[in-house]
Amino acid sequence: MGGLRKMAVPFVAPGPAGVAIRDRLKHLTPQDEKVLRAVGEHQGALASRDLRARCADGHDHSTDAWAARKRELTKESSSRIAGAITKATHDQWALARRGQAAHIQTLAAGIRTLRPRLSLPVGEKGTKRAAGGYHSRGEWFRKSRRLAALEDRHAAAVADWQAGRVRVVRGGKRLLNTRHHLTQARLTEDQWRQRWEAERWFLAADGESGKRFGNETIRVTPDGEVSIRLPAPLAHLANARHGRYTLTGIAFAHRGAEWADRITAHRAVAYRIHLDTGRGRWYLTASWQRPAVRTVPLETARARGMIGVDTNADHFAAYRLDVHGNPVGGPHRFPYDLTGTAGHRDAQIRHALTRLINWAKSAAVAAIGIENLDFTAEKTREKHGRRKRFRQLLSGIPTGKLKARLVSMAAEQGLAIVAVDPAYTSLWGAQHWQKPLTTPHRKMSRHDAAGIAIGRRALGHPIRRRTAPPPHDRSDRAGHRTAQAGPDARGREGTRPPTTDRPPGGPSPSGKRKREPSASNTVRDAPRTQQWVQDSLMRTG
């Protein structure tokens, strides 16, 4: 066991910290859309200017500089709008810093992979723990140039990190690069321009507890009436008192009662308005924070068994286990397709998770065990350079979004998510569970066996079916197997009780005879009634 890495302890994943719901703004007039575009463009320009100032400050940022920027924005909008813009700016700058740190770690990992292999002679074979030299001089030369490029990028990224420089694009770098590939994106220049401008607008407001309906800037009444507090330069567009513009009503179909209870109590609710240029529709998103809820203890999550789920590129392989880690029933597979657009992939994942959670509810378990996957280090080009399809496979699995969505959806159904270490689950599951559970009527795949291994690890059991067998014979003379039921399990050594209440030897209610447990008739268990004596005249040789 010295070559195995240390396993992480299973833990219950914390629940979601916030809620977001969305609905469409219907029956907007041309004047309504004109006002929304004007407000979005005006506040978007202010947000771009504020982000530029924050990036220029770098490490020299302070609370005084923040207050100064907010005062300048208040002159052209309002105090609340200025506060929302500066807060969004700081969140975006912090996100860029985290991405910059992750990029530096990725470059460093690639450098650590290339340097040892370049130091080895060409053609030298590797071992199980370390890769060997490159196969040819040409490959060695290309990898040496790759190393030089990574080192230059790493040095530039470290310099930016130390200087506090970040490179942020309002609207997204991907959409910006799409401008140079309009044919592949199947967009015209006007269509791209509309998307670009809409992504750079700023139509959002943070909630305030104690204020009327939880928000003063974008207010939504319980009847669904939406009104916006216009910035000072656009106050002449108001159609209501106090510089407000009233839109048509909205009705949240999902979580509408929870939202209504919150705004009725004047608790904070944040709103965001955005335009879907592809459909030509306006949407309103409402979001709020949830109080920190303490997760259930791990023992409580294990009380009614577990469902182990193995995540694959095209399906979830799930298996139900009882409290003792025994498989119950057969394997379940929930397929999905991760090709196509992002919306299609998200819908496929959501549909598969919905089916999985519904099955878990019908199975009356309290938790779902899943691997705590992170392919950040495994999908690098330097580690799997020749295995391009394998790298694409790893990159196509949305592990981060999958875990977040699963935790959120399971919390709504009262299910806990137990995250386990993914090490050796597929290998040991296939070794110990695939063949024993395969029958003429049940086909077990490697992924199904991995689901059992994940569930047993989430329950705190070893993956092996039986460990430390008795050394003498089939009885328990030397003690119980270490993977058997513990002393607290009732009836662990007794015979199986009859399935129905009936007199011994009598017929069952269904009319079919149930066989009673019979006494053993083996020679070993027979009573000894004769003394064996060796004949003295018997010849041996």
Side-chain angles (χ1 to χ4, degrees):
M1 298 294 290
L4 302 179
R5 71 174 179 86
K6 186 178 180 181
M7 306 292 174
V9 179
F11 63 93
V12 179
V19 177
I21 56 177
R22 186 182 73 169
D23 207 341
R24 180 184 174 187
L25 290 170
K26 300 180 180 179
H27 310 297
L28 294 178
T29 64
Q31 179 64 18
D32 295 341
E33 294 191 9
K34 179 181 177 181
V35 172
L36 289 176
R37 290 176 182 273
V39 175
E41 291 175 1
H42 176 73
Q43 296 182 169
L46 297 181
S48 299
R49 191 174 68 189
D50 184 67
L51 180 61
R52 179 181 178 181
R54 175 63 187 90
C55 293
D57 289 344
H59 290 313
D60 297 332
H61 169 72
S62 62
T63 55
D64 294 337
W66 189 347
R69 293 188 355 251
K70 185 177 179 180
R71 284 193 298 268
E72 292 296 326
L73 293 176
T74 303
K75 299 176 182 178
E76 303 183 48
S77 56
S78 67
S79 177
R80 290 187 176 89
I81 294 176
I85 290 176
T86 53
K87 182 178 181 300
T89 295
H90 283 273
D91 292 341
Q92 194 167 7
W93 189 86
L95 178 62
R97 286 284 287 182
R98 293 195 297 270
Q100 190 178 47
H103 180 56
I104 292 175
Q105 293 178 359
T106 302
L107 294 175
I111 293 173
R112 288 194 303 268
T113 304
L114 290 175
R115 278 179 177 171
R117 297 195 66 182
L118 287 173
S119 63
L120 299 175
V122 175
E124 181 172 335
K125 294 184 179 180
T127 62
K128 292 184 178 180
R129 302 187 180 279
Y134 289 105
H135 294 75
S136 63
R137 294 291 302 176
E139 186 178 8
W140 186 94
F141 175 73
R142 291 190 297 270
K143 293 299 182 180
S144 64
R145 298 190 65 180
R146 171 72 176 172
L147 176 61
L150 291 180
E151 289 176 342
D152 291 342
R153 296 176 191 173
H154 184 264
V158 171
D160 289 343
W161 172 267
Q162 294 175 351
R165 287 190 299 267
V166 296
R167 289 169 171 79
V168 185
V169 179
R170 289 200 70 249
K173 185 186 297 183
R174 178 175 298 179
L175 184 58
L176 177 62
N177 293 334
T178 304
R179 175 63 181 84
H180 307 288
H181 308 281
L182 296 178
T183 304
Q184 293 83 341
R186 298 179 180 179
L187 293 173
T188 63
E189 185 175 349
D190 293 338
Q191 292 174 339
W192 178 88
R193 180 66 60 181
Q194 293 177 4
R195 289 182 57 184
W196 176 251
E197 292 176 352
E199 291 293 332
R200 290 171 63 86
W201 291 344
F202 190 90
L203 276 168
D206 298 332
E208 298 176 85
S209 294
K211 299 298 181 179
R212 189 180 180 188
F213 302 129
N215 200 310
E216 283 288 336
T217 304
I218 301 178
R219 180 183 297 164
V220 185
T221 65
D223 298 334
E225 183 183 83
V226 182
S227 63
I228 303 175
R229 177 68 180 271
L230 299 178
L234 301 177
H236 62 280
L237 299 176
N239 61 358
R241 295 185 304 171
H242 308 297
R244 305 190 71 88
Y245 189 90
T246 304
L247 302 172
T248 56
I250 191 173
F252 291 107
H254 179 60
R255 297 182 184 272
E258 186 177 353
W259 166 80
D261 293 341
R262 191 170 183 88
I263 64 171
T264 304
H266 305 297
R267 300 176 63 187
V269 178
Y271 295 104
R272 174 178 175 266
I273 301 175
H274 70 280
L275 171 64
D276 187 343
T277 56
R279 299 179 178 179
R281 299 176 179 178
W282 292 85
Y283 291 92
L284 175 66
T285 302
S287 58
W288 60 89
Q289 291 183 346
R290 280 183 168 180
V293 180
R294 186 176 181 180
T295 57
V296 298
L298 188 58
E299 293 75 13
T300 305
R302 294 169 172 173
R304 291 183 289 170
M306 187 78 60
I307 288 181
V309 180
D310 181 45
T311 306
N312 302 284
D314 57 352
H315 73 284
F316 294 124
Y319 222 113
R320 178 188 172 192
L321 289 82
D322 62 12
V323 181
H324 305 295
N326 300 314
V328 179
H332 287 69
R333 300 176 183 89
F334 304 95
Y336 49 81
D337 183 14
L338 295 182
T339 60
T341 62
H344 175 263
R345 295 194 299 268
D346 185 71
Q348 289 283 311
I349 290 293
R350 184 169 59 249
H351 179 60
L353 290 178
T354 301
R355 294 176 58 199
L356 171 63
I357 292 174
N358 290 339
W359 175 59
K361 291 289 291 184
S362 63
V365 298
I368 297 175
I370 192 169
E371 294 173 303
N372 190 18
L373 294 173
D374 184 11
F375 294 138
T376 304
E378 282 74 12
K379 63 184 180 183
T380 58
R381 173 179 170 183
E382 283 68 36
K383 186 172 183 179
H384 303 287
R386 292 176 173 268
R387 305 170 65 185
K388 185 175 181 180
R389 294 190 62 181
F390 182 71
R391 288 191 288 117
Q392 292 176 348
L393 177 66
L394 294 181
S395 300
I397 302 178
T399 55
K401 294 182 178 180
L402 188 150
K403 286 187 292 186
R405 184 173 291 277
L406 177 59
V407 169
S408 177
M409 295 175 66
E412 297 301 320
Q413 300 297 329
L415 295 173
I417 302 299
V418 179
V420 303
D421 196 307
Y424 314 112
T425 53
S426 297
L427 178 64
W428 291 349
Q431 179 181 355
H432 299 292
W433 291 99
Q434 184 176 4
K435 185 177 180 180
L437 292 180
T438 301
T439 65
H441 303 286
R442 177 174 58 196
K443 302 298 181 182
M444 288 285 297
S445 67
R446 186 183 182 93
H447 306 300
D448 300 329
I452 299 176
I454 294 168
R456 287 182 64 87
R457 184 170 287 174
L459 288 168
H461 300 305
I463 294 179
R464 291 186 62 179
R465 293 186 301 124
R466 292 184 177 183
T467 57
H472 301 308
D473 45 44
R474 295 182 180 179
S475 65
D476 290 339
R477 183 180 304 169
H480 288 290
R481 303 177 191 269
T482 56
Q484 285 183 336
D488 55 340
R490 298 181 60 184
R492 62 192 180 99
E493 294 181 349
T495 59
R496 182 177 299 176
T499 57
T500 57
D501 295 333
R502 58 185 176 87
S508 64
S510 61
K512 297 182 179 180
R513 179 177 178 272
K514 298 291 184 178
R515 182 178 178 181
E516 293 290 342
S518 59
S520 175
N521 56 2
T522 59
V523 175
R524 183 185 65 186
D525 297 332
R528 180 173 297 180
T529 60
Q530 180 180 3
Q531 295 292 332
W532 297 92
V533 181
Q534 183 176 356
D535 190 354
S536 60
L537 300 178
M538 183 178 296
R539 297 181 59 184
T540 59

